[in-house]
Amino acid sequence: MEFDGFERYAPQPCLLVATDARVRADALRVAAAADCVVLERDLPVGKLVDDVSRFRLEWERAGVVLLDVDTAVEILALRPTRRLGVVILTRDEATVDHWRAATAVGAADVLRLPSDEEVLIRILASGANDDRGDGGVIAIVGARGGAGASTLATATALTASSNARTLLIDGDAYGGGLDLLLGWEEEPGLRWPGIVVEAGRISGDALHGALPSRGMLSVLSAGRVRDQMSAGGLDVTAVAAVVDAGRRSGDLVICDVPRLPGALSDAFHDAADLVILLAQADLGSVAAAENIAGYLTSRNSNVGLVVRGPAPGGLRSSEIADAVQLPLLATMRPEPGLARQVERGGLRLGRRSPIGSVAHAILSTFARKPQTSRAA
């Protein structure tokens, strides 16, 4: 299976949308030094259809998009397409709020002016960072505890890694660890407690070299209790940096996302090109799925449903999809012996594995995303 890439954009013009006058002045000065044509725009007032459509067209066609943090937050209401070459500019030190806004809008860089002006000149001159790859992000979340989201995320990563370099990210700092599901608990490499983010950036290739890996699959897993006092750890800034590193280096990034809403979950869902909600075919799980579906669609416009059997009350997958108002991507049959297999050496996917079939369905949906940097 091949995954469609993201198009590269022409180096000019640059779209500048910023309310901070100092940021605008700095951006114009740097753009002049980079010999870059700049389109200065304000966010559409009143969200008139013609104004919004014109703005979205300029957003998609620009070589680079420059935003300040306030504009990055406000622009989400226009639901812009995810694309390469979006940069957040600030006059102050980058904070968690800056990186949270960057993750939400799909920006890979937060630059402080004037100290980072040489970096910005290179970005404007090339149209996007040289190391910006054609990776993508899939987030998987369970409707309730025990739904099997971690197992599905692991199965999807195993399936994808047969044809594409894949990064599997564990979003639960206090979980058992996805390395256990893979049977890699003795594999050398860093876990979350050992990840330290400096200046908000991580090299994707360096990350793969430091993590437990086999073939084209690497996993960033939760650590054990004895490791929790290490210098690093799973937080919003680290999540943004790690997911961005995978995307920039061309990886398919599969994320096992915490179920409860919050800043950490937001970081995963905002960065994803596709969000998968996994629900079991019983009333309790369906009720939980209805509760969380609204939150997911408020963070991401590309959310699909997977239903896992058995259905003790005879609920049909189509009925569950109608109840939660999400498109049904796949239905998963029960897989006897799966838990025993995991405990005896890690997850392995046979040719007729139900969870493997669902993983293929998810990847097939993701592979159909258009090549204009829009999600599935």
Side-chain angles (χ1 to χ4, degrees):
M1 181 180 301
E2 296 181 357
F3 303 107
D4 295 340
F6 294 95
E7 285 184 343
R8 300 275 182 182
Y9 287 82
Q12 294 181 339
C14 160
L15 177 63
L16 172 61
V17 191
T19 57
D20 188 320
R22 299 180 305 162
V23 169
R24 292 179 81 117
D26 281 339
L28 290 172
R29 175 176 53 79
V30 175
D35 194 23
C36 178
V37 176
V38 177
L39 298 176
E40 289 190 76
R41 294 291 185 264
D42 295 321
L43 291 179
V45 177
K47 298 183 177 58
L48 297 176
V49 173
D50 289 345
D51 292 342
V52 172
S53 298
R54 189 179 304 111
F55 179 84
R56 284 176 174 166
L57 187 61
E58 291 176 338
W59 169 277
E60 293 181 7
R61 290 181 174 176
V64 176
V65 176
L66 304 179
L67 309 171
D68 61 6
V69 66
D70 291 335
T71 304
V73 173
E74 294 175 8
I75 208 170
L76 294 175
L78 301 179
R79 305 180 77 82
T81 56
R82 297 190 73 85
R83 50 151 296 166
L84 301 179
V86 180
V87 180
I88 304 294
L89 302 178
T90 177
R91 295 273 299 187
D92 306 310
E93 288 285 350
T95 65
V96 170
D97 289 337
H98 288 88
W99 280 107
R100 186 176 298 162
T103 301
V105 81
D109 300 280
V110 176
L111 302 182
R112 184 185 184 187
L113 297 179
S115 58
D116 290 332
E117 64 181 41
E118 291 186 4
V119 178
L120 182 56
I121 288 174
R122 290 198 299 270
I123 292 174
L124 293 175
S126 63
N129 279 351
D130 293 338
D131 64 345
R132 192 70 48 76
D134 59 353
V137 181
I138 300 175
I140 299 178
V141 59
R144 67 177 182 182
S150 297
T151 305
L152 180 58
T154 303
T156 304
L158 280 170
T159 303
S161 66
S162 63
N163 290 290
R165 198 171 79 161
T166 305
L167 175 61
L168 176 61
I169 299 179
D170 193 342
D172 186 356
Y174 297 100
L178 297 185
D179 54 353
L180 285 173
L181 282 176
L182 288 166
W184 294 10
E185 61 270 24
E186 299 300 328
E187 287 285 323
L190 293 179
R191 272 66 174 175
W192 266 118
I195 299 295
V196 179
V197 176
E198 296 180 354
R201 296 297 294 269
I202 297 176
S203 163
D205 290 337
L207 185 64
H208 274 275
L211 298 178
S213 300
R214 291 183 187 175
M216 289 196 288
L217 175 61
S218 298
V219 59
L220 178 50
S221 177
R224 306 295 176 258
V225 173
R226 63 178 181 271
D227 299 327
Q228 296 301 314
M229 297 305 292
S230 299
L234 194 161
D235 58 27
V236 174
T237 302
V239 165
V242 168
V243 172
D244 173 61
R247 189 193 293 277
R248 280 187 289 109
S249 60
D251 295 346
L252 179 59
V253 184
I254 309 294
C255 306
D256 177 24
V257 182
R259 185 174 57 85
L260 296 178
L264 192 63
S265 299
D266 290 349
F268 283 111
H269 294 310
D270 292 345
D273 300 298
L274 177 65
V275 177
I276 303 298
L277 175 61
L278 176 61
Q280 295 161 285
D282 61 73
L283 284 176
S285 186
V286 173
E290 288 182 286
N291 285 335
I292 198 173
Y295 156 68
L296 295 178
T297 54
S298 72
R299 305 302 310 189
N300 197 300
S301 60
N302 301 302
V303 184
L305 177 70
V306 170
V307 176
R308 172 190 164 199
L315 280 174
R316 298 163 63 179
S317 298
S318 58
E319 295 172 332
I320 297 172
D322 289 341
V324 300
Q325 298 180 20
L326 291 176
L328 179 65
L329 300 187
T331 299
M332 188 191 311
R333 294 181 288 107
E335 187 160 353
L338 186 63
R340 183 171 60 254
Q341 178 199 107
V342 168
E343 291 202 357
R344 293 185 176 182
L347 183 64
R348 301 293 181 269
L349 303 177
R351 294 182 60 184
R352 297 184 178 180
S353 166
I355 195 170
S357 298
V358 172
H360 277 290
I362 291 171
L363 295 172
S364 295
T365 298
F366 184 76
R368 290 194 295 269
K369 69 182 188 300
Q371 295 201 15
T372 55
S373 294
R374 295 180 181 176

